[in-house]
Amino acid sequence: MEEKMTVLVTGGSGMLGYALQKVIKEKKRPGEEWIFIGSKDADLREIDETRTIFEKHMPTHVIHLAAIVGGVFKNMKNTCDILLTNQKINLNVYQVCKEIKVKKLISCLSTCVYPDKITYPITESMLHDGPPHPSNFGYSFAKRSIDAMNKCYRWQYGCPFVSVIPTSIYGPNDIFSVEDAHVIPGLINKVRMCKRANTPLVVWGTGKPLRQFIFSYDLAQLVIWAIREYDEEDNIFLSVDEKDEISIRELVEVIVEEYGFKGEVVFDDTKTDGQYKKTVSTAKLRKYLPDFKFTPIREGIRETIRWFEDNYDIART
Ligand code: GDP
């Protein structure tokens, strides 16, 4: 008999929520119910609203994705708001998950909250080994306190709370703001504009930083695996392997080629590079899923560009 599961996903209308909705349509198991909530359904900064929506659905499992997120530039401009808003949301969600005794809560950290000065590859346990990069200070401490809550709730109350930690995510339904988005959606939107206006593409920074980009549909599959199968107390990285890490310069080439942009590409090194790299080890993930195949970056970028073109009118820019 399949276990009966009611899975509530917060942040269900964001990029990863969208990917989960798409993937679960094909992969839903008998006995599973999946509910996606977004900011229109409840203001999770308010404890009463949080409690009301959780008590309405009474989930057995929770995937907590709701957060204020942004690229390096938005994070620097709004560091205090990002710290406080995310902490409020997390405090409320955790408190209510304890109250209604969920069987598993998985929340999402990010590799960008790991220490700035660190040895590579990074492993899961290094989270608190040094300060984060100053460019995302507020965001990092909101996420790090999720890890503290996972542990404290488990130690004091026996709550089964744990986190998955993706690297840089990209995919359909991302935020494509030129100023505030992460590099892939930001550049996709910029390339579209430059192509139309016949102007050079200005890439921020030197192009040297390295990133492990994960396609949101791949990550969705891994998160579904984690909510069903992953029962360790310690966090797990969800990432493409070290060999698939690429530089921003290589990424720009892929985006430019896939978009068919023929104009000039300029690197503006007066803009910050952010962290040079944050390479993570996938040893733990590979122990569980040695054969999982990730979507090659070119294919994922192609699909993301296609989505952006097809949905330009409704895309968040
Ligand atoms: P990070 O991975 O947390 O540093 O966040 P981002 O995705 O915002 O930035 C990744 C890298 O891409 C940094 O080195 C940025 O300087 C670089 N970059 C180049 N062009 C852009 C752009 O148009 N938007 C953003 N957000 N980053 C860019």
Side-chain angles (χ1 to χ4, degrees), residues 71-73 181-183 187 190 203-204 209 211 248 272-273 278:
V72 58
F73 296 94
H182 282 109
V183 57
L187 282 180
K190 265 197 217 170
V203 179
W204 293 336
R211 296 289 182 268
I248 299 302
T272 181
D273 267 346
K278 28 196 172 182

Side-chain angles (χ1 to χ4, degrees), residues 63-76:
I63 299 174
H64 174 41
L65 309 177
I68 306 290
V69 296
V72 58
F73 296 94
K74 178 174 173 181
N75 278 339
M76 285 195 300

Side-chain angles (χ1 to χ4, degrees), residues 15-29:
M15 169 176 44
L16 181 53
Y18 177 89
L20 276 167
Q21 296 198 39
K22 198 163 166 80
V23 173
I24 203 64
K25 257 194 203 140
E26 323 227 303
K27 304 240 161 147
K28 194 159 90 68
R29 290 182 181 164

Side-chain angles (χ1 to χ4, degrees), residues 39-57:
S39 48
K40 289 191 194 75
D41 302 299
D43 182 351
L44 300 178
R45 293 170 302 182
E46 302 295 332
I47 184 70
D48 293 342
E49 286 199 36
T50 310
R51 191 176 283 122
T52 303
I53 193 130
F54 274 66
E55 287 182 350
K56 175 174 164 202
H57 297 293

